[in-house]
Structures are given as structure tokens and as C-alpha cells.
Amino acid sequence: MVKRIYDERNRLVGREWTREEFMLGFVGDVGDLAKLAAAAEGARRIPGWRPALEYELSDCLWSVLVLAHLHDVDLAAAFFRTMSELEEHVAVSIERARSAEGTA
């Protein structure tokens, strides 16, 4: 796993990253991702944005997986539970909007 390699490297240079440091690294990666997403939409000029976008998406996903592991979160279970809740919430919102259209 890539995290183990980072941990080993960090031990050699002094210490492993804390959960907070992983989170701060993730926030920085999300900022980079936002710039690349803007480039994909033509709002920024970044040469070679496509491979960089793929890299940052993968890097962000890795960070989320590491953070879930560090916080003992069953990410697969949480994901499916959250998607189910969101689906139900959106379905209710659609029904309310349709009902409001019918009364207007």
C-alpha cells in the first residue's frame, strides 16, 4: 500500500504523518483538483491539464481511503448508506416539487 511506503519514508526523515497532516494534504490536493477542473471547463489555462486531472482525482481518492482507514470508518458501508439516504431525500424533494407544480 502506498501509505506504508510514505510512512516508511517519513520515519526515515523523522516521523509519520498524523491524521491531521493527512487531512491538510488532502485539502491541498482538493485545491489542485479545483484548478484542474476549472481548466477542463475552459475557465483556466493549464497546459496538459487532462493527465494532471486524472492524477489529482486518483490522489484525492487515495487520501479519502487513507483518512477513512485512519478514522476506522467502513467507507463502503458508509457510502452505500449515504447514497441510499440521498436518493430518498432527492426523491422526496422531487415529489414535493411535482406537488407544488400541480397546485400552482
Side-chain angles (χ1 to χ4, degrees):
M1 175 181 198
V2 174
K3 182 184 175 306
R4 274 187 290 228
I5 295 168
Y6 272 104
D7 288 347
E8 183 177 338
R9 184 200 63 183
N10 289 340
R11 275 192 297 277
L12 291 173
V13 297
R15 63 179 181 76
E16 292 181 29
W17 278 18
T18 64
R19 292 186 301 185
E20 293 82 6
E21 288 168 319
F22 272 108
M23 187 65 219
L24 289 172
F26 174 55
V27 169
D29 290 339
V30 169
D32 294 339
L33 178 59
K35 293 172 190 169
L36 292 163
E41 295 301 317
R44 290 183 81 117
R45 297 201 62 191
I46 300 176
W49 63 264
R50 180 63 186 208
L53 177 66
E54 293 173 1
Y55 177 91
E56 284 305 328
L57 282 166
S58 298
D59 200 21
C60 285
L61 178 58
W62 176 80
S63 292
V64 167
L65 295 171
V66 168
L67 287 164
H69 174 75
L70 292 173
H71 289 278
D72 296 319
V73 171
D74 181 343
L75 194 55
F79 176 81
F80 287 113
R81 183 177 58 250
T82 301
M83 292 303 104
S84 184
E85 291 168 2
L86 285 173
E87 185 178 342
E88 184 178 329
H89 175 74
V90 171
V92 168
S93 296
I94 290 169
E95 274 306 308
R96 286 185 184 146
R98 286 183 179 154
S99 294
E101 281 180 355
T103 61

